[in-house]
Amino acid sequence: DEENALLALSFLGVEDLGDDYVYEGWILVDGTPISTGTFTVDDMGVPDNTQFMVNSAHLAAATKFILTIEPSPDPSPDPSVTKYLAGEFSGNSANLTVADGAALGTDFNGANGDYILNTPSTADDDSDYANGIWWLDPNAGPGPSLTLPNLPNGWVYEGWVVGNSGPISTGRFTSVSGDDSDLAGPTSGDDPPPPFPGQDFIDPGIDLTLGYAAVISVEPEPDNSPAPFTLKPLVDSDIDDVGIGTPQPMDNMSGSLPTGTAMR
């Protein structure tokens, strides 16, 4: 019989993935990923399992631990491209972060940007400017207003407005310049939107200055949920009425990103 040893995991800030996805741990042994098992997390952020028995020789030889997000059921025995947290073993422990090169490869410390209120899909009507949000710089041509790191395969950015009735996506994107996934959105007017992330809320109309927040999240691809994922590098908790086309800055939230530890 193979001799096994205990791998203990702990996490801060991981979230429930819903019914169709699970977390899976992997150890890297001579460059080859070996699964340490899957687990789920409840709506309070508590994993259903944090202790796994792993082949002792493999565990002793492991150089890195990697946490992935996998479909459930999972058709592949290999790791998905959605690598979430990772860290090198130093002695018997590995500190796990999104910044590790085997995960997202960035700590988002340099993420910054702002947005404007405007409704370009109703170009002849400036009175409804508070019904649209756009991550663009009107004084640059227009140009991009976000500074965000490139994401590896398995991840994509998504814009949101969040009010009392819940979050509303403004579209997914991988580049701060260019159309997002839904252009001006399903509630926009008839005029063409600028090629930047954003959305107009014309029909039905939504005044975004009435208790809404603006969020840029990082989402798994494929996405596990219609709600924002726990990775939210930029947030403005209160969209203010500063007038049409006036930039509003977003706060960098990189200090609140998830972390973990693997102990062998």
Side-chain angles (χ1 to χ4, degrees):
D1 291 341
E2 291 183 343
E3 186 174 336
N4 290 327
L6 178 67
L7 174 69
L9 305 176
S10 62
F11 300 99
L12 182 65
V14 295
E15 68 173 26
D16 184 359
L17 293 175
D19 295 335
D20 298 325
Y21 291 86
V22 296
Y23 294 102
E24 187 163 5
W26 306 82
I27 50 174
L28 207 58
V29 180
D30 294 327
T32 299
I34 297 173
S35 176
T36 63
T38 63
F39 63 92
T40 61
V41 171
D42 67 17
D43 58 6
M44 299 297 291
V46 179
D48 69 343
N49 189 15
T50 59
Q51 297 189 337
F52 300 86
M53 300 306 294
V54 181
N55 177 279
S56 58
H58 289 161
L59 190 56
T63 56
K64 186 182 283 282
F65 178 87
I66 303 169
L67 184 70
T68 63
I69 296 173
E70 304 285 340
S72 178
D74 189 354
S76 170
D78 299 321
S80 76
V81 295
T82 311
K83 297 174 175 63
Y84 188 19
L85 297 171
E88 299 276 350
F89 277 105
S90 176
N92 289 329
S93 67
N95 292 323
L96 311 177
T97 69
V98 299
D100 189 273
L104 279 86
T106 176
D107 60 12
F108 295 97
N109 279 344
N112 67 80
D114 49 47
Y115 61 90
I116 63 166
L117 295 177
N118 200 358
T119 50
S121 69
T122 58
D124 294 332
D125 184 0
D126 287 345
S127 67
D128 60 2
Y129 68 88
N131 291 26
I133 183 170
W134 291 88
W135 282 274
L136 61 79
D137 179 358
N139 299 316
S145 66
L146 293 169
T147 299
L148 295 169
N150 292 329
L151 297 175
N153 289 340
W155 299 96
V156 65
Y157 290 108
E158 189 162 6
W160 304 85
V161 292
V162 184
N164 291 333
S165 59
I168 306 171
S169 172
T170 64
R172 296 157 70 84
F173 60 96
T174 56
S175 173
V176 297
S177 294
D179 296 326
D180 63 16
S181 61
D182 66 356
L183 304 178
T187 61
S188 65
D190 295 330
D191 293 317
F196 296 95
Q199 188 151 322
D200 286 352
F201 299 94
I202 305 300
D203 185 18
I206 298 176
D207 186 336
L208 300 178
T209 67
L210 300 179
Y212 282 83
V215 177
I216 298 293
S217 70
V218 180
E219 301 288 325
E221 179 67 23
D223 203 349
N224 69 297
S225 168
F229 194 60
T230 191
L231 296 178
K232 303 177 183 73
L234 294 177
V235 174
D236 180 12
S237 58
D238 190 13
I239 298 175
D240 293 317
D241 188 353
V242 295
I244 185 171
T246 301
Q248 297 194 54
M250 303 187 76
D251 295 322
N252 182 293
M253 306 298 289
S254 59
S256 64
L257 300 181
T259 57
T261 304
M263 296 286 297
R264 60 185 175 186

